[in-house]
């Protein structure tokens, strides 16, 4: 049973340095869309919240950033309490009201258009979605972590992440592996990103999101030991 001690534990062991490392990884991934950036398992959250998504939440969320949880995460009282204690972020039930959104079930993610898109005057007042995925790989490779930490037994480096078979799907998992061809700022020509799983009709949803620029959501894909980012500026096409 998840008790009060478990709520208190599991955060960053070195809050300042750990948050700096994760922030640098996320910002580098945003600046270089499609690049897989390593993120060590710096947090130990209750399931079904993953260590990578939890580390991103601890880094970016605070009492000024309303947070939305998908149905799987919201159903866990342990996750609810852990995030409340470690981030102080107020939890909201309406996706459009959230500054950040955490989702553990890609197949159950509401349409991207349901989240905050900002306005023409304040496009930054939009939602950044942190989506848990099983695997990431990219032809851009995996960049070395700016703050290397010791690798624990059983940890995988981002460069060794192996995508699952397209047939690997489960309840709430969404589409199987998808190869996404990315173009836009931060990409010299094109980059191919493989992520699994993704929400249904993801490419069509993203094209609509991109068409509303400068409004729109940004996406952080959180895999075991790594992140990749899709800012609203990036164009996505299926691999031909």
């Amino acid at each position: 049973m998840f008790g009060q001690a478990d709520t208190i534990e599991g955060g960053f062991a070195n809050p300042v340095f750990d948050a700096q490392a994760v922030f640098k990884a996320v910002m580098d991934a945003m600046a270089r869309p499609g690049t897989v950036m390593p993120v060590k398992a710096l947090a130990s959250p209750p399931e079904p919240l993953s260590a990578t998504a939890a580390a991103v939440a601890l880094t970016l969320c605070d009492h000024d950033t309303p947070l939305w949880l998908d149905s799987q995460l919201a159903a866990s009282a342990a996750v609810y309490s852990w995030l409340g204690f470690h981030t102080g972020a107020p939890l909201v039930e309406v996706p459009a009201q959230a500054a950040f959104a955490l989702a553990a079930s890609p197949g159950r993610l509401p349409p991207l258009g349901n989240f905050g898109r900002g306005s023409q005057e304040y496009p930054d007042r939009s939602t950044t979605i942190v989506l848990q995925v099983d695997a990431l790989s990219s032809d851009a490779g995996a960049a070395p972590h700016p703050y290397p930490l010791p690798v624990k037994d059983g940890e995988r480096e981002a460069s060794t992440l192996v995508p699952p078979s397209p047939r690997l799907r489960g309840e709430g998992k969404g589409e199987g592996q998808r190869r996404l061809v990315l173009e836009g700022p931060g990409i010299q020509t094109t980059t191919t990103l493989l992520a699994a799983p993704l929400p249904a009709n993801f490419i069509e949803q993203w094209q609509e999101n991109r068409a509303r620029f400068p409004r729109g959501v940004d996406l952080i894909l959180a895999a075991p030991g790594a992140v990749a980012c899709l800012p609203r500026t990036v164009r996505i096409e299926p691999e031909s």
Side-chain angles (χ1 to χ4, degrees), residues 54-150:
V56 173
L58 293 183
T59 300
L60 301 180
C61 299
D62 58 28
H63 64 278
D64 288 326
T65 57
L67 177 64
W68 176 88
L69 306 179
D70 74 353
S71 59
Q72 186 176 356
L73 294 174
S76 170
V79 169
Y80 192 99
S81 298
W82 192 87
L83 287 169
F85 177 82
H86 288 280
T87 70
L91 296 178
V92 296
E93 296 183 359
V94 180
Q97 297 176 349
F100 292 97
L102 293 177
S105 301
R108 297 173 181 166
L109 186 74
L112 299 183
N114 287 18
F115 293 91
R117 295 176 173 177
S119 65
Q120 291 297 117
E121 296 78 14
Y122 300 99
D124 57 314
R125 296 179 181 176
S126 59
T127 305
T128 297
I129 303 170
V130 182
L131 183 65
Q132 294 181 188
V133 297
D134 295 336
L136 290 169
S137 64
S138 170
D139 62 7
H145 201 287
Y147 300 103
L149 296 170

Side-chain angles (χ1 to χ4, degrees), residues 36 135-139 162-164 177-180 192-196:
V36 179
L136 290 169
S137 64
S138 170
D139 62 7
V162 179
Q177 89 181 25
R178 295 297 305 269
R179 293 184 181 274
L180 309 176
T192 300
L193 176 68
L194 191 150

